[in-house]
Amino acid sequence: MVAPPGRRLVEVTGNVASGSYRIFTALDTDGPAPRAGQFYMLAAGKHWAARDERPYLARAFSAAGATPVADGVRLEFLVEGVGPGTERLADLDPGEGLWITGPLGRPFSLPRELSREAAGAILVGGGIGIAPLAIWRRQLAEAGVAARVLLGFRDRAHAGGLDLFDCSEVRLASEDGHRGHRGYVTDLLSVLLDGDDASTAAVYACGPPAMLEAVRAMCSTCRVAAELAMEAPMACGFGACMGCAIPLADGGYMRLCVEGPVVNADRIETALVRGSGH
Ligand SMILES: Cc1cc2nc3c(=O)[nH]c(=O)nc-3n(C[C@H](O)[C@H](O)[C@H](O)COP(=O)(O)OP(=O)(O)OC[C@H]3O[C@@H](n4cnc5c(N)ncnc54)[C@H](O)[C@@H]3O)c2cc1C
Ligand code: FES
């Protein structure tokens, strides 16, 4: 999947609240449709540095959805405002311009590509990290692969995006108990991995570093194939700045923007990456 070179200006077509997050959509008339796990570098067409005049870079965003339409691909993004860039993107109005570069990075692999025995998928999302799992669930369904979805949130003020999922298929956890199981989403994963599912499923996770590390350790112990969609500070998004390098178990490094953001869990010793998470 090769992104067109350079950034291109697309039109924002919608922006709605979803819990405490927002889902905004844009029409990409030129690019290929993204595969699940891929991301875009995004910047508002206007007033990108308006708040404090800080000239800041485009921000990395997972594709949360992609729907072919008559004149291109309708892209969906899920955003949590945590700073000037995400707050500006959360404020985009329909009709505004949005600079996009992408789709970028390595996508998720099908269960059978990760393990010969893996027939189904377990998707584990935490907080804003549920975004790439929404598009992955849809693409798995199109490929005829069964997927169970486990989503966890810290509290009501940091929860949303369920509109991107068919809720009847989703099991929820929240640390404050406002939705689903009171506790961590990894408690739900532990139940599945203790059952018969360990040998027949591949696990796909995206969320805060501590959650990803818990998933990595559980899957390593149970010998379950797993891919983690990881985050690191990304300045360029296409391999030029080295800002996103993370250490590998074999002693080397990978640039998360080109060799990730989806990483086979076996390749890393820990998902607790410096500078990631907020
Ligand atoms: C591959 C990838 C996909 C992402 N997908 C999404 C998404 O779908 N939706 C979404 O809302 N956010 C996503 N993010 C995170 C988003 O890019 C950052 O939150 C954003 O860059 C913060 O910019 P800011 O100007 O709002 O805040 P800043 O002022 O730059 O930062 C605010 C806080 O966020 C932390 N932070 C900044 N950049 C990152 C980062 N890359 N990863 C983790 N923490 C960071 C900072 O340490 C600080 O605590 C993704 C990041 C990556 C690398
Ligand atoms: S973000 Fe620049 S090399 Fe990865």
Side-chain angles (χ1 to χ4, degrees):
M1 183 74 52
V2 179
R7 64 177 189 168
R8 52 200 189 277
L9 193 63
V10 302
E11 185 179 326
V12 175
T13 52
N15 185 340
V16 295
S18 181
S20 63
Y21 305 154
R22 297 196 72 85
I23 299 167
F24 63 92
T25 53
L27 178 65
D28 183 9
T29 52
D30 293 321
R35 288 177 59 193
Q38 291 192 300
F39 68 99
Y40 290 78
M41 299 301 287
L42 303 183
K46 286 188 180 158
H47 309 304
W48 182 232
R51 199 170 81 168
D52 57 6
E53 300 306 325
R54 169 157 72 100
Y56 52 90
L57 299 164
R59 296 307 197 224
F61 269 75
S62 304
T67 311
V69 290
D71 36 6
V73 181
R74 190 171 61 92
L75 300 173
E76 279 178 302
F77 298 101
L78 183 67
V79 58
E80 177 178 30
V82 296
T86 47
E87 281 164 13
R88 174 66 186 102
L89 293 169
D91 271 353
L92 285 169
D93 284 321
E96 278 199 72
L98 175 70
W99 289 109
I100 71 170
T101 307
L104 300 166
R106 177 181 178 270
F108 289 117
S109 319
L110 287 167
R112 288 247 186 261
E113 294 168 341
L114 291 181
S115 156
R116 218 180 303 156
E117 296 81 39
I122 302 174
L123 277 49
V124 188
I128 195 69
I130 71 172
L133 302 181
I135 183 173
W136 188 218
R137 188 197 66 83
R138 288 185 212 167
Q139 293 186 355
L140 285 169
E142 284 161 18
V145 177
R148 275 157 302 171
V149 184
L150 314 176
L151 304 179
F153 299 98
R154 196 193 319 167
D155 53 33
R156 194 183 295 277
H158 299 88
L162 295 179
D163 301 293
L164 295 168
F165 293 82
D166 174 347
C167 277
S168 65
E169 298 173 11
V170 175
R171 280 180 237 177
L172 297 172
S174 55
E175 290 172 51
D176 67 348
H178 81 280
R179 291 292 291 268
H181 163 75
R182 179 188 286 271
Y184 295 125
V185 69
T186 45
D187 301 340
L188 304 178
L189 177 63
S190 163
V191 172
L192 291 188
L193 294 185
D194 280 346
D196 294 337
D197 298 295
S199 57
T200 57
V203 170
Y204 303 88
C206 186
M211 187 210 92
L212 286 184
E213 175 53 17
V215 171
R216 189 204 61 77
M218 289 165 73
C219 291
S220 171
T221 304
C222 298
R223 297 180 184 280
V224 175
E227 281 187 331
L228 312 177
M230 298 180 64
E231 285 190 17
M234 289 188 182
C236 71
F238 45 77
C241 73
M242 307 292 165
C244 64
I246 64 161
L248 295 172
D250 67 7
Y253 285 83
M254 77 156 64
R255 286 166 301 172
L256 207 56
C257 65
V258 284
E259 295 174 73
V262 173
V263 176
N264 190 308
D266 286 344
R267 295 196 70 193
I268 53 171
E269 259 172 11
T270 175
L272 297 173
V273 173
R274 183 182 53 83
S276 67
H278 46 70

